[in-house]
Amino acid sequence: MSLLDARRWHGRIFTGSWQVSAGGDAAVVEPATGTELGRIGMAGAEDVTASVAQAATAQREWAATPFPVRAAVLRRAADAVQRHTDELRDWIVRETGGIPGKAYFELDHAAQNCYEAATLPSRPLGELLPSAAPRWSMVRRVPAGVVGVITPFNGPLALAMRSVAPALALGNTVVLKPDPRSAVSGGVALAALFAEAGLPPGVLHVLPGGADIGAAVVTDPHVRVISFTGSTAAGRAVAGLAGRHLKRAHLELGGNSALIVLDDADLDQAISAAAFGSFFYQGQICMTTGRHLVHQAVYPEYVARLAAKADRLPVGNPATEQVALGPLIDAGQRDRVHQLVTSSVAAGARLVTGGTYRDLFYRPTVLADAGPSIPAYEQEVFGPVAVVTPFATVDDAVKLASDSEYGLVLGILTADVARGLALAERIPTGIAHINDQTVNDEAHAPFGGVSASGTGSRFGGVAANIEAFTETRWITARGDIAPYPF
Ligand code: NAD
């Protein structure tokens, strides 16, 4: 049986083995064709309770497992990602509608996250403090316990792995709730990869389900930390619940990232980067270039060339054709994108190209002359729509770029790197790239946004992962019992 053979998971959830679920099942649909690829088990509330209880018990033994053994599981999981690349790629392409390049991006990211996580178990556990009393005074990092991971449809394997791998490596057990729209690539795959890597049963649970199941994971008393990736609206709901239940919640949310194009930028290269930033995976990436802020001296040419590039990009079924863009994930997402485009035109934006669709295939779209009152400028579109706005001075660019509720990624294109770095200093953002578009992610680099984009860098890098998935304990020890006056 292959890694993702449907006979394993048809109508089932993963609790250490594949079990029939309490919440029925749901179709796994290929957005490009509407074909049903299988039926995934949907968790019920009682499945959450049972899994979390089991995970809480398993956590003590997993945390006590010698650190080289935990590290080896993570390395073998990375090896398994690489060994099963072809099968995983095909599932990601068909289930998410991304081109093979998007699948390879995810696969590489997932494998690198496991390799990075494999270094965590052997890191120092804390530090030794001076003490005014005659005693040892130590700070020790201990596993948080059971970690709840809630993930979106768009980068299912990579986004689940970037939470699950470090959480496991640091001695936690994990209950993963993937989005049902991509629960094979973002759920079944992790269960199967870690089982193959020798992770003991009960340490990882995979419970596909909707918002109600996500909420059940957040509120279960045994879950100590939530690692949530998704929209800002859902993040706010999760944060509210987590607050009431006194849980730590790490939130990676939406974006509306700006790409600033200065007047000295090389336009040939700028257009290529800009088109990738807006149209890669149909714009369904948190880091997608939402707003192109372009110096007025190059603005007309930029708009014309970006539109010409968009016109040349082939759109179709990424599993059967060589295309640049595949379908949007579902009709709801397509209708939302189209509504934002049409309402933006009604509000005064200029539709330069695109704005049309067939089934779930949305043409890459360029909306020019868009400003702060235009819906597609103000909101995260999550579709293949490049919104272009002119600016006159660098101060104007700073104002436009900063005037957003989001703060995930900033890109700046310029011939003068120092000018770019100085400009980036003036704009609130979690991530900034000089001379690159906004879609960039490396497993060892801190990743996260500010403001409505989330609670900051809790992914990538040793410090971020240790901060996210452990608690700090202060421990003192002395040779004799401390004397007291009464
Ligand atoms: P979504 O918020 O609708 O769903 C994300 C996950 O949260 C799903 O598993 C969903 O079932 C669950 N969920 C929804 N409401 C919930 C609730 N009230 N309680 C608990 N769980 C709940 O997002 P989506 O449409 O799948 O993904 C797109 C969004 O995700 C975009 O806004 C995008 O920017 C964002 N995103 C952010 C990052 C990042 O790293 N910052 C990465 C990828 C996607």
Side-chain angles (χ1 to χ4, degrees), residues 20-290:
V20 174
S21 54
D25 59 13
V28 179
V29 176
E30 179 177 43
T33 61
T35 305
E36 186 172 307
L37 301 173
R39 296 194 75 81
I40 187 77
M42 293 285 277
E46 53 269 60
D47 294 319
V48 175
T49 308
S51 273
V52 173
Q54 210 187 323
T57 306
Q59 194 268 325
R60 286 186 282 277
E61 205 175 319
W62 175 239
T65 302
F67 80 87
V69 177
R70 277 188 277 130
V73 169
L74 270 299
R75 284 195 300 276
R76 288 196 296 267
D79 294 344
V81 172
Q82 293 175 333
R83 200 163 41 246
H84 296 288
T85 285
D86 290 352
E87 189 184 4
L88 289 163
R89 175 203 57 214
D90 290 349
W91 264 101
I92 294 172
V93 167
R94 294 193 70 186
E95 197 181 22
T96 72
I99 60 174
K102 183 260 190 186
Y104 286 124
F105 181 78
E106 274 207 59
L107 286 159
D108 180 57
H109 200 266
Q112 291 307 325
N113 262 296
C114 289
Y115 284 128
E116 286 294 319
T119 72
L120 293 172
S122 56
R123 299 278 170 173
L125 291 175
E127 51 191 357
L128 204 55
L129 299 181
S131 176
R135 61 185 179 183
W136 292 280
S137 177
M138 297 165 277
V139 179
R140 175 148 194 239
R141 289 290 189 164
V142 295
V146 181
V147 173
V149 175
I150 301 174
T151 48
F153 76 85
N154 63 334
L157 179 65
L159 298 178
M161 196 62 99
R162 73 178 181 178
S163 295
V164 170
L168 292 177
L170 289 164
N172 303 284
T173 50
V174 173
V175 175
L176 166 64
K177 193 217 76 68
D179 189 303
R181 289 172 290 182
S182 50
V184 177
S185 316
V188 171
L190 284 100
L193 288 165
F194 278 108
E196 192 170 302
L199 187 73
V203 173
L204 172 65
H205 298 248
V206 177
L207 308 181
D212 54 331
I213 298 304
V217 172
V218 175
T219 53
D220 190 291
H222 290 301
V223 173
R224 295 313 317 154
V225 166
I226 301 296
S227 185
F228 175 89
T229 306
S231 63
T232 296
R236 282 189 211 281
V238 166
L241 269 185
R244 277 199 292 289
H245 291 263
L246 302 179
K247 305 289 178 74
R248 195 143 57 85
H250 304 302
L251 307 169
E252 287 300 343
L253 309 177
N256 187 7
S257 296
L259 179 69
I260 300 179
V261 183
L262 296 180
D263 50 358
D264 59 359
D266 177 319
L267 270 202
D268 286 335
Q269 286 173 295
I271 294 300
S272 168
F276 186 90
S278 279
F279 303 137
F280 185 55
Y281 189 41
Q282 297 82 263
Q284 299 174 116
I285 304 179
C286 55
M287 302 168 273
T288 290
T289 303

Side-chain angles (χ1 to χ4, degrees), residues 411-439:
I412 298 174
L413 306 183
T414 172
D416 184 344
V417 176
R419 194 175 169 214
L421 283 167
L423 179 51
E425 288 296 314
R426 301 175 61 192
I427 298 163
T429 182
I431 300 164
H433 302 294
I434 314 302
N435 283 327
D436 209 342
Q437 49 75 39
T438 52
V439 181

